[in-house]
Every structure is written in C-alpha cells, then in structure tokens.
Amino acid sequence: LGGWVAALAAAALPQWRQSSYAGDAIITAVGLHEGLWMSCAAQSTGQVQCRLHDSLLSLDVHIQTSRALMVISLLLGFFGIIVSVVGMKCTKVGEEDPVTKSRIAVAGGVLFVVSGLCTLAAVSLYATQVTYEFFRESSIPINARYEFGSALFIGWGAASLTMLGGSLLCCSCPAKARRGQQYYQQSQPSMAREYV
C-alpha cells in the first residue's frame, strides 16, 4: 500500500527533472522543474508558477510512454489492493476455503509485482532520457540542462516497495492439496505378547 501511494505521489509531482546547478556560472534566480503533466518555474522569492503541458501529441515519446506506464501501474496497484484485501485471512470477504483465499492473495501479489515493474520501467525510461540529454554534445551550457528530480527517486522507492510487497504476497502460495489423504499417527503395536 505504501508503494502504491508513493507511485501516486511520483506520478503527480512535477519534479521528474529539474534544472542543473552544475558548471561555473550557477543560475539560482529561477529553478525549472518538469514532470509528466506540467512544467514549473520557481523564483528565488518563493513564487512558483506551473503550466500544464499543452498538447498530448506534441510531447516527446518518452513522456507519453512514462505517462501510460504510470497510469497502468496505478490501475494495477489499485486492483491489487482490492484483490489482496479479499485474499487476506483476517477478512471475511470471499470464500471461506483457506486455499482459495491464499490463491486470491497470490493473484493480488502478482498484480503488485506487475505494477511495480511498470513503475520501474516508467521512471527508468525517463531517467535514461534525462541522462542522455545531459551528456549529449550540444551548444546548451551545462547549467541550462536538466538533472534527476526528486520524483524519480520517489518512483524508484515506490517500485521497490511495490515489488517487495507483491513478492511477499506471492510467497503465501498454498501447498498442493493432498487429495484427501490424511495422515494420522498410529500407535505402535506392542512387541511383548501377553500369555493368559
């Protein structure tokens, strides 16, 4: 649940990349941030102005792909939460059979793992593009380029938490049914014969 909330925060935050402070001439008057949904400019006075991205189709491919992956991740995580709650032993919802409830919990764990993988793919794809643009040979000075923003680190943490939680739920997989065979401890027959 914590991983899903962190993924939601990472998707909403506009700090996926921020203006770089590397190089000789450091510009501190304006800090630029860009995210999946908007770009912001923070003045040194504390005033922040944000603007939503104008057109969906004019965005770069990596932003569109990261958006889609984050939305898919949030949807899978939401359904994973619902399925996992139904599969918990402490809830009265669903079947009373413990094997069925364990299988439902495993299904929720699989949804969480896939959700975490989508978050990881989205954040890593965006980070790869930021890294490529930072080190690319261009006429843009190094202090006008972009670096990793805080939302990327939140996204990596969210992916790790979500995949860890999903893996723990997958470990609750029930053992194979014994097909009705029950084993009882039988008392050993006495070796000494009693003569009457």
Side-chain angles (χ1 to χ4, degrees), residues 84-96:
S84 298
V85 167
V86 172
M88 288 183 176
K89 294 177 182 177
C90 59
T91 59
K92 301 284 185 186
V93 181
E95 298 288 331
E96 297 298 326

Side-chain angles (χ1 to χ4, degrees), residues 98-121:
V99 174
T100 305
K101 285 191 78 80
S102 295
R103 288 181 181 158
I104 293 173
V106 169
V110 170
L111 287 173
F112 274 125
V113 170
V114 176
S115 171
L117 288 174
C118 287
T119 303
L120 182 65

